[in-house]
Amino acid sequence: DIQMTQSPSSLSASVGDRVTITCRASQDIRNDLGWFQQKPGKPPKRLIYGATSLQSGVPPRFSGSASGTEFTLTISSLQPEDFATYFCLQHDIYPWTFGQGTKVEIK
Amino acid sequence: EVQLVESGGGLVKPGESLTLSCAASGFTFRTSSMSWVRQTPGKGLEWVSAITSSSNYIYYADSLKGRFTISRDNAKNALYLHMNSLRAEDTALYHCAVGGDGIYWGQGTLVTVSS
């Protein structure tokens, strides 16, 4: 199975901060990666698909980048509604595998 | 608006069976691959199974060892997961998800396996 190593597992940040979350794949997954946001009691919501494409309706402060097997989600200016858990999902081959999640908390 | 509503979860004893359902609307279900993913606070997210649009290809997590069966009814816009020989470690929130890339997810149905 492809291992997805996500870091950090949690972070504290202030409104307006720039936040970066990384997922590293154990092998080539092309750009078959999505970034998701999940709030308590809610289903995951996809923010980024194809590693770098912004899902329709998602604010442009969210962006994704890719370099080889390393993938990054960036929030350029953290907003109050962005405090949540974020995770990556590789769907290049089954089984899908996920990053462990990053909980973004208020500083 | 895409809606995915899971149902069928509950409290069961080890060794018992359960069938989960996912009612889909707001997209073309009959042309979409579908998956089940489970989530626990301790282990995080774990992909369970996937089925292609016409049920031609079905995939399972190796850890399930044949205990789970995924199916779908395109006439009813419904996805199912039949779970046999349930174990405590199957306790989780079970989500259905759309597409080969998980574009949309349901809120999940909670399965608790406990004696």
Side-chain angles (χ1 to χ4, degrees):
Chain A
D1 297 357
I2 297 173
Q3 306 304 313
M4 301 301 297
T5 303
Q6 183 173 341
S7 62
S9 57
S10 65
L11 64 91
S12 295
S14 301
V15 172
D17 283 354
R18 182 181 181 88
V19 168
T20 299
I21 300 167
T22 298
C23 269
R24 181 173 283 109
S26 60
Q27 65 189 68
D28 181 20
I29 58 169
R30 300 179 289 179
N31 275 359
D32 293 334
L33 180 123
W35 286 101
F36 293 77
Q37 176 193 69
Q38 189 175 24
K39 297 181 179 179
K42 298 292 187 182
K45 173 187 174 184
R46 194 168 72 174
L47 306 173
I48 301 288
Y49 66 95
T52 61
S53 298
L54 189 67
Q55 189 72 41
S56 176
V58 173
R61 62 180 179 272
F62 292 94
S63 64
S65 62
S67 177
T69 58
E70 186 165 299
F71 302 87
T72 300
L73 172 70
T74 299
I75 309 172
S76 60
S77 177
L78 200 64
Q79 297 302 298
E81 59 268 31
D82 300 337
F83 292 96
T85 297
Y86 296 84
F87 63 87
C88 62
L89 156 64
Q90 75 77 22
H91 55 85
D92 188 57
I93 57 172
Y94 290 116
W96 288 356
T97 47
F98 300 87
Q100 298 91 328
T102 297
K103 187 172 184 179
V104 177
E105 298 175 305
I106 301 172
K107 196 171 191 179
Chain B
E1 180 193 3
V2 171
Q3 285 202 320
L4 297 162
V5 180
E6 301 92 339
S7 61
L11 174 62
V12 296
K13 292 181 169 54
E16 293 185 342
S17 299
L18 203 60
T19 297
L20 308 183
S21 300
C22 171
S25 61
F27 65 100
T28 309
F29 180 81
R30 67 181 183 276
T31 62
S32 300
S33 295
M34 298 292 295
S35 287
W36 286 99
V37 177
R38 63 187 184 185
Q39 184 172 26
T40 61
K43 292 178 64 177
L45 290 152
E46 180 185 18
W47 174 83
V48 171
S49 182
I51 185 168
T52 54
S53 57
S54 298
S55 305
N56 290 339
Y57 294 95
I58 288 175
Y59 308 88
Y60 295 102
D62 288 344
S63 61
L64 299 180
K65 296 183 179 177
R67 296 185 296 121
F68 289 12
T69 302
I70 192 172
S71 63
R72 64 189 294 160
D73 186 336
N74 287 346
K76 295 182 178 179
N77 281 7
L79 176 72
Y80 305 101
L81 184 69
H82 183 66
M83 306 183 292
N84 286 328
S85 304
L86 283 162
R87 306 168 180 168
E89 55 263 35
D90 296 318
T91 294
L93 184 66
Y94 285 73
H95 301 271
C96 58
V98 180
D101 57 359
I103 181 173
Y104 301 114
W105 294 50
Q107 195 148 346
T109 186
L110 183 62
V111 173
T112 304
V113 184
S114 175
S115 55

